[in-house]
Amino acid sequence: MTSKREAVSRVAVLVPTYNERDNLPPIIARLRSSVPDADLIVLDDNSPDGTGAVADELAAGDPRVRVLHRAGKEGLGRAYLAGFALALQEGYDAAVEIDADGSHQPEQLPALLSALDDADVVIGARWVPGGEVRNWPLRRKVLSVGANLYTKVLLGMKVNDATAGFRAYRTSALRAMGLDGVESQGYCFQIDLTVRAVRAGLTVVEVPITFVEREVGVSKMGKDIVREALTSVTRWGVTHRVGQVRSLLERRSAQSLVRVEDGGAVGPGTENVGRKP
């Protein structure tokens, strides 16, 4: 993409929810205060605790708040893909990912949106200078740092926090990334989109954020999500490295062929060609 980018004026902030009725009102209030000109779209997966009804009440009192009711719990990835599709369909300039539990600070969102001036994708990163994580046990920090390092090395990317879920995308970037084939969830969903952005030649920028562990409710992170991420990243990494080796071998083969053609054939019966008797 060109270095000169169009200004971002219409922003859709996507807030996926599943059993977040107590967290939703304060996070919506903080978002309205931090980015008053943005539209907030709650993506509720038919939460049994009544989160959808709470979202409807918030939307009824604020024209900047909308609710997309989904049939059931299909996971974070599918919720965001539905939100992206809506943002693309309605002509937004940018779409934002943010958790409903307060772990992502709405007050830091303006910094992410500002960074879009020189980027296609902006990641609110924890594992960069200036980034911070609060209220996490050591075990979870080690897991996150290890997962990101594994991803970075295996996939050959410069991104330090590919699993981060606080992000801003230009909608032009979403189109370029080719989202039709995305099926992954959780950690893996964020990694998948990061890989697609990098492979598409988009400019990905990381902005340091402070991540605060939720105080209300239960984390949706489970062993299945971690297992999916490990399996998928390993598969993608092996494919990436095999492709690199194949490309290297093909280049060397082509270079060898060029040298032979430039120098002429050398073999039995040709030793004296061009020599004086």
Side-chain angles (χ1 to χ4, degrees):
M1 303 185 72
T2 61
S3 58
K4 185 178 181 180
R5 294 174 172 81
E6 295 183 359
V8 171
S9 56
R10 295 193 65 213
V11 177
V13 180
L14 310 177
V15 188
T17 56
Y18 186 77
N19 290 347
E20 298 286 359
R21 61 171 298 149
D22 294 328
N23 284 315
L24 188 59
I27 203 68
I28 292 296
R30 291 170 65 188
L31 282 167
R32 290 293 288 116
S33 177
S34 300
V35 284
D37 294 329
D39 290 335
L40 314 184
I41 304 175
V42 179
L43 312 168
D44 186 63
D45 276 9
N46 196 22
S47 301
D49 74 342
T51 299
V54 172
D56 284 336
E57 292 176 8
L58 294 170
D62 190 336
R64 288 287 190 181
V65 179
R66 300 169 55 184
V67 186
L68 178 60
H69 292 281
R70 292 163 43 73
K73 186 179 181 182
E74 296 183 287
L76 183 71
R78 290 190 180 277
Y80 273 135
L81 288 174
F84 291 156
L86 183 63
L88 289 167
Q89 178 183 341
E90 299 196 358
Y92 284 94
D93 301 316
V96 171
E97 295 181 5
I98 188 169
D99 287 351
D101 60 14
S103 56
H104 301 145
Q105 309 298 293
E107 295 76 17
Q108 295 182 320
L109 179 52
L112 271 67
L113 293 175
S114 178
L116 279 178
D117 289 347
D118 301 307
D120 302 301
V121 179
V122 177
I123 298 175
R126 301 156 294 181
W127 312 120
V128 296
E132 182 184 359
V133 172
R134 295 178 183 171
N135 304 329
W136 262 15
L138 179 61
R139 173 184 57 81
R140 191 165 179 188
K141 288 183 179 180
V142 170
L143 175 63
S144 182
V145 172
N148 277 289
L149 181 60
Y150 183 73
T151 299
K152 184 177 182 179
V153 172
L154 203 60
L155 297 179
M157 299 191 302
K158 295 181 179 180
V159 178
N160 296 288
D161 199 352
T163 65
F166 192 13
R167 302 180 173 211
Y169 297 88
R170 285 180 174 269
T171 48
S172 57
L174 293 174
R175 290 189 182 92
M177 288 159 59
L179 301 179
D180 291 343
V182 177
E183 297 180 355
S184 45
Q185 300 293 327
Y187 263 25
C188 196
F189 175 77
Q190 307 298 0
I191 298 170
D192 193 345
L193 264 60
T194 306
V195 173
R196 288 169 184 267
V198 171
R199 299 288 185 262
L202 302 174
T203 300
V204 180
V205 171
E206 295 184 280
V207 172
I209 64 162
T210 297
F211 181 98
V212 182
E213 177 65 348
R214 67 160 64 228
E215 296 181 356
V216 179
V218 179
S219 172
K220 310 301 189 301
M221 182 63 65
K223 292 182 179 179
D224 289 343
I225 293 176
V226 175
R227 188 179 302 112
E228 180 201 15
L230 178 61
T231 301
S232 295
V233 170
T234 300
R235 185 177 70 253
W236 296 336
V238 170
T239 300
H240 173 63
R241 295 304 181 186
V242 168
Q244 285 184 319
V245 172
R246 183 179 293 115
S247 296
L248 177 61
L249 293 176
E250 288 175 352
R251 285 198 301 271
R252 288 183 174 178
S253 177
Q255 289 170 356
S256 297
L257 181 60
V258 168
R259 284 197 296 269
V260 169
E261 291 176 345
D262 289 345
V266 176
T270 64
E271 293 87 345
N272 296 322
V273 173
R275 293 182 183 179
K276 293 182 180 181

